[in-house]
Amino acid sequence: MRRHISLYGLTFSLPLLIWQLLFFVFPLFFLIALSFWTVRNFRMEPGFDTVNWVTMYGRPIFWQAYGTTLALAAAAAVLTSALAFPCAYAIAFKLSPAVQRWAVFLMVIPFFTSYLVRVYSWQVFLSDAGIINVMLGWLGLGPFRLLNTVGATMIGYLTLSLPLVILLQLFSLIFVDRTLIEAAHNMRCGRLRTVFAVVIPSARVGLVIAALFSFILCFGDFVSPIYLGGGDPTTLSILITDTTKSGQQWPRAAVIALTMIATLLVIAFLSVRFAYKGREK
Amino acid sequence: MTQDERGRHLSMSRRTALSLGAAALATPMLSRRAFAAPTQLTMLAWYGHAEPDIVAEFEAENNVKFVPKYYTGGDNMLGLISQSPPGTFDVILSDAEYVQQLNAAGYIEALDPADYPFDEFFPEFHRFPGHWDGDTLYSVITRFGFLGVAYNTDALTEAQASTYDVFWDPALQSKVGHFDWHLPNLGQISLLNGNASPYDIDAAAWDGVKEKTMSLRRQIGGFFDYGGTFSSLNNGQMLAFAGIGDWITGTLEKNGAKVRSVIPEQGGLQFTESFSIGKGSSKAELAKKWIQYITSAKGQAKSAQMAAYPCLIPNEKGWDVLNAENPQEAARQGMVPGQSNAMDMIRSGRIKYRQLPVQQSLEEWNDFWSDYKSA
């Protein structure tokens, strides 16, 4: 019987295993190998040379870009989670099931359009002669520099991750045990205290995973920093394109990419550990 | 022969059917020449060079279909070639400074100068630097342009924009943009620093260029690719731009945007585009025919007005065709013979060739550019 279950399990997990091997494990090993190759006359030469690691880790710009990217992605994850929570909470606890379904549908709609198009359309709002500045002009204010700023990059990050974070938060809030909330109310807990003492701890795993997804998406994003941030400050994704554009330094770009992957793995591990802390008891 | 009505009818019917069948079977054979699938010609080029406004006539006349692969810079172009098997690209468009590297790497075929209309070209373009290795030709110049100060005509006058110092104008803080490529930008700063050969500078001059460039950093509103440069100039987000010229502002100006380019008093840079035949191309004859077409007077006039971005052309007779076809555009670009025109700028020494750095490595210039961007 055990043998049958194992075969059954293997049969159904095999496609996933093959998929992961083909599209994650092998490319990852290739990326590691590539980071030790060298480039001569725009041609990559296989070998084992640590020069790319030494060069990239020895450049202040790399660490500046690393710190900037980390800070921007973390800020985006916190901001997105904070903005998403009231929305997800309202949908989960205040709306009828029918309206909830419509709300979820509306959340999914942004995914039907290209992220690049959505980011480009923000330029129409944020440019000096854009809609926001024109409206501020009617009030005798501005024009303010909105485009090509860190704030504009952050708006792009929110555009990218907010709908997904709301959905993930929503799915975790829906499964919060309602009896706990009623018990809190019976014990004269106010609404705000109930949220912080009962709802958030109960939905902690989903909320942390949602924030993690936001961080992952923003950490590797290239579109918003370029088209809304004007490429300033340099993020790791911009540094990768700069590195490959000049002299075809793909091995150096591999060093940046591997550092990004390692960072995301560590952040994901710590986040999941925090999310499930105390759950195994 | 003595068939009855029915028999004749049947016989005719059979004959008709056979005739129709034979005709149907023969039709593809008879019309194979007329309806043969077009020969595919692969072109590696900047965006726009294999678009219908440029290639449609040649395609129709020669039953050819261009398959373009567009790139966004010389390094990118070399990378694409180095990662492709020999013979992948039949026609290669390259900026002049990269032709030598294409040749050194063995990516392009030697050409016979007699095949191309050099006698119609201005003398300055008969033996363009880098296109020849000794007496062997490797690339044929097809168009060129000048890089200077691009500016918003509502914000700046031509006189104000006629110096690179305008980039440091406090009124333009955060309104100066860079076309995100180190060669043209650093070359312009080198000109501003008074380097007669902007790319052939010693260590002290290079330090001077770096210092001067860094002092511009707080003025910069962004670093833009091709599309971003277009949009930020068009919507007035950037009021002045370094590293570009009429090849971008010309298209915008023709479409009503309030932008222009000017060659400042410190001089301008010349970029040059030329066509080569890819090493190992199985369609070298057709590729040669294309280069002959686009460098002919007719093809040159077409190239000068290319929808993606206009350019100056080296074929003097092409100037005549352009003036006959579109005198307004010829005047706008400064290609009217007998008047003060684009050639005067070259001949007076105001324009320097854009090159790869001579005394420093390309990597050194690029690394500084990355540092500058993140400063």
Side-chain angles (χ1 to χ4, degrees), chain B residues 104-128:
Chain B
Y107 293 143
I108 50 179
E109 298 279 3
L111 306 173
D112 183 353
D115 288 336
Y116 305 100
F118 281 107
D119 54 334
E120 296 180 359
F121 283 15
F122 289 104
E124 286 79 0
F125 302 111
H126 285 181
R127 287 185 73 92
F128 200 79

Side-chain angles (χ1 to χ4, degrees), chain A residues 41-44 55 59-61 64 120 123 126-129 145-148 226-227 229-234 238-239 242-250 252, chain B residues 72 75-76 78-80 82-83 98 101 105 107 174-175 180 182 217 220-225 227-228 231 235-238 362-363 366-367 370-371 373-375:
Chain A
N41 293 327
F42 300 92
R43 278 182 169 167
M44 281 181 282
T55 303
R59 291 184 67 192
I61 185 192
Q64 280 170 22
Y120 257 122
Q123 290 190 350
L126 298 174
S127 69
D128 284 7
R145 188 186 172 209
L146 303 173
L147 195 59
N148 302 322
I226 277 286
Y227 294 109
D232 185 15
T234 303
I238 293 173
L239 194 60
D242 283 355
T243 308
T244 54
K245 267 198 297 190
S246 177
Q248 292 296 299
Q249 282 289 355
W250 289 98
R252 288 189 189 178
Chain B
T72 53
D75 286 8
N76 182 215
L78 281 165
L80 285 167
S82 68
Q83 289 152 22
Y98 289 93
Q101 297 191 46
Y107 293 143
S174 302
K175 306 299 283 182
D180 192 6
H182 55 89
R217 186 61 186 83
I220 300 305
F223 298 83
F224 301 93
D225 62 5
S231 61
N235 62 22
Q237 193 64 30
M238 293 296 127
L362 184 65
E363 192 177 55
N366 184 64
D367 285 351
S370 295
D371 292 344
K373 285 169 70 177
S374 67

Side-chain angles (χ1 to χ4, degrees), chain B residues 192-268:
Chain B
L192 174 61
N193 275 9
N195 298 314
S197 300
Y199 295 93
D200 189 0
I201 54 177
D202 61 19
W206 171 231
D207 284 342
V209 168
K210 288 194 283 188
E211 191 181 340
K212 187 70 180 174
T213 308
M214 276 295 181
S215 71
L216 181 60
R217 186 61 186 83
R218 65 184 183 84
Q219 291 285 100
I220 300 305
F223 298 83
F224 301 93
D225 62 5
Y226 182 79
T229 303
F230 260 103
S231 61
S232 58
L233 271 172
N234 195 37
N235 62 22
Q237 193 64 30
M238 293 296 127
L239 300 178
F241 236 93
I244 60 160
D246 190 62
W247 70 283
I248 279 186
T249 56
T251 306
L252 291 169
E253 190 184 5
K254 282 199 293 185
N255 288 290
K258 293 174 177 176
V259 292
R260 291 211 76 188
S261 293
V262 62
I263 301 304
E265 62 194 42
Q266 296 90 355

Side-chain angles (χ1 to χ4, degrees), chain A residues 48-75:
Chain A
F48 188 85
D49 196 326
T50 55
V51 67
N52 303 307
W53 290 88
V54 172
T55 303
M56 290 314 295
Y57 279 15
R59 291 184 67 192
I61 185 192
F62 173 81
W63 295 109
Q64 280 170 22
Y66 186 80
T68 301
T69 313
L70 211 56
L72 286 177

Side-chain angles (χ1 to χ4, degrees), chain B residues 45-80:
Chain B
W46 283 92
Y47 175 76
H49 284 266
E51 295 305 298
D53 64 300
I54 294 294
V55 301
E57 186 182 69
F58 180 82
E59 285 183 333
E61 285 174 358
N62 296 279
N63 196 27
V64 168
K65 179 67 190 163
F66 274 96
V67 180
K69 176 75 179 174
Y70 292 133
Y71 59 76
T72 53
D75 286 8
N76 182 215
M77 179 264 301
L78 281 165
L80 285 167

Side-chain angles (χ1 to χ4, degrees), chain B residues 4 72 95 143 187 218 244 262 265 268 276 291 321-322 331 346:
Chain B
D4 61 9
T72 53
D95 288 34
R143 60 212 305 260
R218 65 184 183 84
I244 60 160
V262 62
E265 62 194 42
S276 301
I291 299 174
V321 176
L322 178 66
I346 295 174

